[in-house]
Each structure stands twice: as structure tokens, then as C-alpha cells.
Amino acid sequence: MTTRYESLDAIRGVAVMGILAMNIVAFALPFPAYGNPAAGGPPTGSDVATWFFNFVFVDSKMRGLFSMLFGASTLLVIDSAATAGRSAAGAHYSRMFWLAIFGLAHFYLIWFGDILFLYAICGLILFLFRNLSARALLLWAIPFFLVGIGLHTILWAMMAMAQAGALPPDAAAAMQEALRQMNADMGPSTPVYAEEKALYLGSYASIVAHRTGEMAGDPLFFLGLFLWETIGLMLIGMALFKSHMLTGEWEAARYRKWAIACFLVAAAPLVGLALYQMRTGYDAVSVFGATIALSVPFDTLMTIGWAALIMLLIRTAASNAVRARLAAAGRMAFTNYLVTSVVMTTIFYGYGLGLFGSIGRLPLYLFCFGMWAAMLLWSKPWLDRHQYGPLEWLWRSLSRWQVQPMRKRFPG
């Protein structure tokens, strides 16, 4: 029987809650606002302050933590299959196949911000690294990060040069369409803002038609954008699991030391990148450079710092009851992630309460608090009576091509 690590489940629970803090803007506002507080026009002071905090401490960090934990969990699933005498490769690749199907269904039918398809494709590659030591996994993570950062940095530099008129005429002309598209996606006061607001206040049929039409290729686009970084993060997660950091086995002082060091090193550069975007008036080139390319090393360091801080708090500050609630939310992370998409789109989209585009950044976190409370309240009672979350059960049954037992059996 594979060991169940409560600390790993608990930090996964924090991560699935934290990823909503990152995604709430994309649920409730047009996508250009996700990285740009001026996308819909001059931002308020509270909008800027909320964006600033989010950029430095939340954006990419919760996705990074979720990705690292996916890498760690992959090792557990592979070990469980091998211990049970099943094919580790067969179990893993079957899970990734169905995860990709879930991800595409999530993207086209529920919400465009899906991360599951990306994880499934990264998982196909991740299996090849399963037997490496923690040190080897960290060494392999480096080239993945370098390729991703390098490609995005080159693109950002070319855009910045084109914007400044520093490219030869032929090259500059070729970059104009890319600049136009970037301004539409990330620029201040973009007309796309009003277009998306009208779209998502429309009917469910019109939204799905848009995703299956104009946005049909977006899962592959986001795969190309984040593949290298995500594999790097997953490899780090595997390394941290093998070094016992994510299983709660380090001394509290070691977690404290790592958390302080990572936050101290990462915070100043991220503050600098936030100020750089503000000084340029949040123009698209600066937002792209700061968000997609230049922040990645510091986002990764702060993600590790978050992991250390959360593990420290789980070990030293959380009561047994709180740990149990967080661990249950983490064991049901797949269900909680997808249910969150259903709840949030129903609240904000036109086929639900129709609040899309009408609430500022700061008040949006009230919806986060409500959803977090729901996860903590319902996950443990469900798992007290069932072996898996409902969608974990479905994923497991499909992956094994056999209906799995759901309810727990109690003596008597």
C-alpha cells in the first residue's frame, strides 16, 4: 500500500484554493484584465494595489505550486501501480489520456482557462524522469526553464525593439501584426475588453460557439506558451517530493530558512517588474515581458518559498482539525478545481447571475473566500463516507476501464 501523506494532501488543498485567487480575475473580467489593470481603462487605486500584490505574491506562484504538486503526485500514482502489480506505464498514460479529455471538455464546455490539458501533455513527458534522483531532477529542470525563458525573452526583446523603432524596416514590418495582436490581448484600454464583456454576458450557446470556433486552437497555443516552464516546475516538484520537503518530514527550522530565503531573493525583482509595467503605462510589451518572460525565475523561487511556508504552518500552526480539512480539499483537488469553474462561470457569465465585468478586483476576493469555505466544508464530510471525490472516482474508473468502488464500507 502506498503511503498517504497528510501534509502533501494539505498543501495540495491550499494550492487548489490558491489557484482561484489567481484565476478569479479571469473568471470575472475580460481576459486582457488578467495581467493588465488598465485593460478596461484607467484603473482605480484599489485595482492597482490588488494587481500589484497579485503580481508579486500570487500570479504564477499558485499555478507553479499546483504544477509542482502534480509532479509529486505523479510519482505516488506510479509507485502505487507498481506496488499493486499493475503496469506503471499503462496506469500513468491511461490517466494522462483521460486527463486530456477532461481538460478539453473543461475548455470548450465550461471555461477557457483550463490547465488540465497542459498537465496531461506534460505528464506524457514526465514519466521518463520518474527514476531519477532529486539532484538529477533539479538539473534536468534547468534546461526546460532556460528554453522557455529564452524563447519568450527573445520575443519580448524583438517586440520592444520594434516598438522603439530599433529594428530594420523589413523586420519591423513583420512584427507589426504580432504587436497589434499583443496590444489587443494585453494592452491598456483595448477594444477587446468591451467585446469580451458582451460575449460572456451572452448565452451559453454563443460562448461555446466562440470557444469551438475562434478559440478552437487555444489549448495548443497555451501548450506552446507554457510547456517548457510547466515541465520544469513538475520536475522540481518531483525533486522536492524525493527530498521529503513536500511530505512534511523536514525540521521546522529548515522550512523557515527556505521560506525566508526564497521570499527575500524573489520579492525585490518582482516588485521591480511591477514598477516597470506601471512606468510604461501598462503597455502590452512591458506586460508580456514582465509576466511571461522576465518574472519566471523569481516566480519559481517564490513558489518554492510558498511551499516551504505552507508546510511550516501546516506543521507548527495548523490544528489537527484544520489539517484534516485542508487534506480533504487536497484529496479532492480535481473535483474542487472543476466545480470551482462551474460555480464561478455560473456566477459571472450571462447564463447565470451575469456579474461579468461589473465588480472591481478587490471585491472579487469575497467570492474566493466563499468558494474556499465551500471546499473546506464539503470535502471532508464527503470523504468520510466515500473513498474518492466524485470526479476523482470518475477519472480513476475511466483510467482503469473498470468501475471503482465509491462508498466506504463500515463494519456492522
Side-chain angles (χ1 to χ4, degrees):
M1 177 72 71
T2 301
T3 304
R4 187 99 219 176
Y5 296 99
E6 185 184 44
S7 294
L8 182 62
D9 288 333
I11 193 174
R12 191 186 300 111
V14 174
V16 76
M17 293 163 64
I19 207 165
L20 176 57
M22 171 182 158
N23 286 340
I24 188 64
V25 173
F27 279 121
L29 297 172
F31 184 67
Y34 181 80
N36 192 334
T44 65
S46 66
D47 283 340
V48 171
T50 306
W51 165 83
F52 193 100
F53 179 86
N54 191 68
F55 178 83
V56 175
F57 293 107
V58 180
D59 185 29
S60 297
K61 290 76 176 174
M62 293 301 107
R63 176 173 58 84
L65 185 59
F66 213 44
S67 301
M68 289 181 185
L69 293 170
F70 185 90
S73 298
T74 295
L75 291 176
L76 282 173
V77 170
I78 291 171
D79 181 61
S80 175
T83 301
R86 295 181 290 111
S87 165
H92 175 76
Y93 285 111
S94 180
R95 282 173 60 83
M96 293 306 102
F97 169 78
W98 285 109
L99 185 62
I101 299 299
F102 278 113
L104 291 175
H106 182 217
F107 175 87
Y108 291 115
L109 301 179
I110 302 173
W111 185 55
F112 70 89
D114 173 71
I115 204 172
L116 302 177
F117 180 74
L118 169 66
Y119 280 13
I121 302 305
C122 291
L124 300 179
I125 301 168
L126 207 62
F127 185 81
L128 304 175
F129 298 90
R130 67 195 183 281
N131 293 324
L132 297 183
S133 67
R135 181 175 182 275
L137 288 164
L138 290 175
L139 290 175
W140 268 104
I142 293 172
F144 281 100
F145 279 113
L146 289 178
V147 171
I149 294 169
L151 292 172
H152 295 149
T153 302
I154 290 170
L155 179 58
W156 166 72
M158 292 180 66
M159 293 286 190
M161 292 172 67
Q163 189 180 51
L167 286 178
D170 291 346
M175 295 298 293
Q176 288 309 307
E177 175 58 26
L179 273 172
R180 186 200 65 77
Q181 187 60 50
M182 184 177 287
N183 279 312
D185 290 340
M186 294 184 164
S189 301
T190 170
V192 171
Y193 193 94
E195 294 169 8
E196 287 203 6
K197 185 174 178 179
L199 170 69
Y200 289 111
L201 287 175
S203 68
Y204 177 75
S206 65
I207 293 171
V208 171
H210 180 71
R211 290 203 199 107
T212 55
E214 292 182 37
M215 297 180 69
D218 278 19
L220 295 178
F221 171 77
F222 287 115
L223 177 63
L225 194 62
F226 292 114
L227 174 74
W228 299 97
E229 175 191 349
T230 303
I231 293 176
L233 289 165
M234 290 178 177
L235 291 174
I236 289 176
M238 294 167 76
L240 293 178
F241 176 79
K242 289 195 173 188
S243 65
H244 307 293
M245 188 264 211
L246 292 177
T247 58
E249 296 174 67
W250 284 8
E251 295 295 327
R254 191 177 182 190
Y255 285 118
R256 186 178 298 109
K257 179 180 177 181
W258 272 58
I260 292 171
C262 289
F263 273 90
L264 285 178
V265 172
L270 289 169
V271 167
L273 288 170
L275 294 174
Y276 158 61
Q277 294 172 81
M278 294 174 70
R279 283 196 302 268
T280 65
Y282 309 101
D283 75 68
V285 173
S286 69
V287 171
F288 176 84
T291 305
I292 304 297
L294 303 179
S295 67
V296 172
F298 312 109
D299 289 336
T300 304
L301 272 177
M302 190 169 284
T303 299
I304 296 172
W306 272 117
L309 177 61
I310 294 165
M311 293 303 293
L312 175 66
L313 294 175
I314 287 171
R315 284 201 52 185
T316 63
S319 65
N320 290 336
V322 169
R323 280 198 299 271
R325 292 280 176 176
L326 288 172
R331 287 180 61 192
M332 289 178 53
F334 185 55
T335 294
N336 282 325
Y337 172 74
L338 290 173
V339 167
T340 294
S341 292
V342 173
V343 170
M344 291 299 151
T345 52
T346 302
I347 289 172
F348 292 108
Y349 284 6
Y351 54 80
L353 298 182
L355 299 181
F356 191 81
S358 64
I359 299 174
R361 286 174 179 265
L362 186 57
L364 286 177
Y365 286 91
L366 295 175
F367 295 91
C368 286
F369 300 152
M371 194 67 217
W372 294 346
M375 291 183 197
L376 294 174
L377 286 171
W378 92 292
S379 298
K380 187 175 184 301
W382 178 275
L383 289 175
D384 286 342
R385 297 169 176 79
H386 303 87
Q387 299 191 52
Y388 318 103
L391 292 178
E392 283 79 6
W393 169 83
L394 179 60
W395 185 16
R396 189 182 184 95
S397 296
L398 290 170
S399 298
R400 296 191 178 187
W401 302 97
Q402 183 178 11
V403 175
Q404 300 296 297
M406 168 65 99
R407 296 191 64 87
K408 287 182 175 178
R409 294 181 180 178
F410 298 98

